[in-house]
Amino acid sequence: MSDKTILLRTENLRKYFTIKSGFNTKYVQAVEDITIEIAKGETLGLVGESGCGKTTLGRTILRLYEPTKGKIYYDGQLIFDGDNIKNNPDMLPFRRKMQIIFQDPSASLDPRMTVGEIVAEALDIHGLYTQKNDRKERVAELLDMVGLNREHANRYPHEFSGGQQQRIGIARALAVEPEFIVCDEPISALDVSIQAQIVNMLEDMQDKLGLTYLFIAHDLSVVKHISDRIGVMYLGNMVELVESNELYRNPLHPYTKTLLSAVPVPDPEVNRKSQRIMLEGEIPSAIDPPSGCRFHTRCPYVMDICKKEAPVFKEVEDGHYVACHIVS
Ligand code: SF4
């Protein structure tokens, strides 16, 4: 982390999706009252099983999904206030500073546009590089930065491999000189052999350009590598958040322990001796989540109180936040 100036802060951020079926209205409680801070230059990793709300949280922070409740501050400015929705600012000026890299590059690149058009689209939206030659030069510079070359600007996305397509997605995100990027599982759709290259490139970009990342992944070994701190989500809740090495050294939440027990260790001897904790059952539905602690239906340590009262997400050690009744 380069400094401790807070770039992004959420307060009790909530996102519910409405589902209407006949006369019934139900809500998918995808993100539930999440309060986090991300410092300038930091990478905050976000992990959890699929359906835990990590992608929804990333998109809600960018207001690609309009939040249901709570507050979002960007660089000290309130960019969403659930108590005063009418006065929320236009996001266009912030979109330049806050970008996203999507999980599946083949689905996120328009097949009818050339690579040059894709990368330049954001420049046009924000009225940057209005002279044709400057714009062309900027696109070439961005393609260089991500390890492609300027001739690629005239080709179409389907002519590239998955790794190259993700490089195009990264060039598009970098085009408007953002400060903050939500990396939404940017390597999960790629071959394992390509994943490290993309992660290394994102780290290089961070060093060169002073970027701040929210890095979403389901693979704990990847987030460990890239993150300064890691947040663990379960069914819309943040259940643990701490500095990256500390999460691996001293996990406190029962769900985090389960996730970590499933991560293979390079030493086969250690691997053989370490016990994998198996979770019973599937992740419950976010439409009708369990009462109290949402993890209680699968937790090996469940107590009566867990079924009735939701544990508070609190700092239990210096910089170590956990939501669990048995951790204090
Ligand atoms: Fe398990 Fe209870 Fe802690 Fe939830 S609050 S994780 S059910 S011990």
Side-chain angles (χ1 to χ4, degrees):
M1 217 185 302
S2 59
D3 64 38
K4 289 280 185 187
T5 310
I6 299 303
L7 184 63
L8 186 111
R9 174 174 168 79
T10 69
E11 282 178 11
N12 300 314
L13 190 64
R14 178 182 288 182
K15 178 62 190 172
Y16 287 3
F17 295 100
T18 308
I19 305 177
K20 288 200 188 296
S21 152
F23 293 110
N24 289 331
T25 302
K26 291 184 174 176
Y27 299 96
V28 179
Q29 301 175 26
V31 167
E32 188 70 36
D33 296 1
I34 288 189
T35 299
I36 51 167
E37 289 180 338
I38 309 179
K40 277 187 183 165
E42 181 184 19
T43 298
L44 177 67
L46 209 51
V47 292
E49 286 164 289
S50 85
C52 71
K54 52 194 191 301
T55 287
T56 303
L57 176 60
R59 292 179 184 199
T60 306
I61 283 173
L62 298 178
R63 286 186 59 199
L64 296 175
Y65 295 152
E66 200 60 358
T68 306
K69 200 189 121 194
K71 289 184 168 58
I72 308 171
Y73 294 88
Y74 184 81
D75 213 3
Q77 286 178 272
L78 193 56
I79 62 166
F80 178 82
D81 182 357
D83 296 329
N84 198 0
I85 286 172
K86 280 190 189 144
N87 288 336
N88 282 328
D90 173 18
M91 278 301 283
L92 187 63
F94 295 99
R95 296 248 176 271
R96 195 176 155 191
K97 299 174 180 176
M98 306 169 80
Q99 287 285 312
I100 184 165
I101 298 167
F102 294 98
Q103 177 178 0
D104 182 354
S106 63
S108 70
L109 304 174
D110 188 334
R112 294 159 304 180
M113 292 168 78
T114 65
V115 169
E117 287 165 347
I118 289 168
V119 174
E121 196 180 24
L123 299 176
D124 297 342
I125 290 170
H126 293 278
L128 306 169
Y129 299 91
T130 46
Q131 299 296 318
K132 205 174 162 195
N133 275 345
D134 295 349
R135 184 172 176 271
K136 196 173 163 193
E137 203 39 50
R138 174 65 178 153
V139 169
E141 180 188 38
L142 286 157
L143 293 178
D144 270 352
M145 275 169 76
V146 298
L148 298 171
N149 65 57
R150 55 182 62 214
E151 284 73 42
H152 287 148
N154 299 320
R155 298 211 210 149
Y156 288 86
H158 73 267
E159 298 176 60
F160 295 88
S161 67
Q164 287 174 318
Q165 287 176 347
Q166 193 54 295
R167 287 172 191 270
I168 299 165
I170 294 169
R172 173 176 61 184
L174 294 176
V176 289
E177 298 176 39
E179 300 162 339
F180 172 69
I181 302 183
V182 172
C183 305
D184 184 9
E185 301 211 35
I187 58 166
S188 8
L190 305 178
D191 286 349
V192 176
S193 57
I194 310 294
Q195 291 184 348
Q197 289 175 18
I198 298 293
V199 169
N200 291 340
M201 192 179 74
L202 288 169
E203 287 184 311
D204 287 350
M205 296 295 167
Q206 182 170 42
D207 289 346
K208 270 189 214 143
L209 307 171
L211 298 168
T212 303
Y213 291 145
L214 177 65
F215 194 96
I216 300 167
H218 61 256
D219 183 335
L220 267 159
S221 38
V222 172
V223 276
K224 184 186 184 192
H225 178 77
I226 195 167
S227 307
D228 297 295
R229 291 184 303 147
I230 296 176
V232 180
M233 284 185 73
Y234 183 80
L235 203 59
N237 289 148
M238 189 71 73
V239 297
E240 185 156 7
L241 194 154
V242 67
E243 190 267 320
S244 174
N245 289 327
E246 186 64 7
L247 187 83
Y248 288 79
R249 201 187 62 77
N250 181 28
L252 296 177
H253 194 281
Y255 179 61
T256 312
K257 291 181 185 177
T258 314
L259 284 183
L260 286 173
S261 78
V263 177
V265 180
D267 182 339
E269 187 58 17
V270 175
N271 230 355
R272 197 176 52 78
K273 286 184 190 157
S274 63
Q275 263 206 324
R276 181 161 183 187
I277 309 167
M278 298 302 286
L279 277 184
E280 302 276 319
E282 294 294 307
I283 188 165
S285 165
I287 296 175
D288 187 18
S291 59
C293 172
R294 289 186 173 187
F295 188 53
H296 87 248
T297 53
R298 300 169 83 196
C299 179
Y301 309 101
V302 60
M303 306 175 291
D304 277 347
I305 189 177
C306 307
K307 299 174 188 171
K308 295 177 202 141
E309 274 181 39
V312 177
F313 184 67
K314 58 179 188 289
E315 191 170 16
V316 293
E317 291 168 12
D318 193 20
H320 196 156
Y321 296 81
V322 185
C324 175
H325 289 303
I326 57 169
V327 182
S328 54

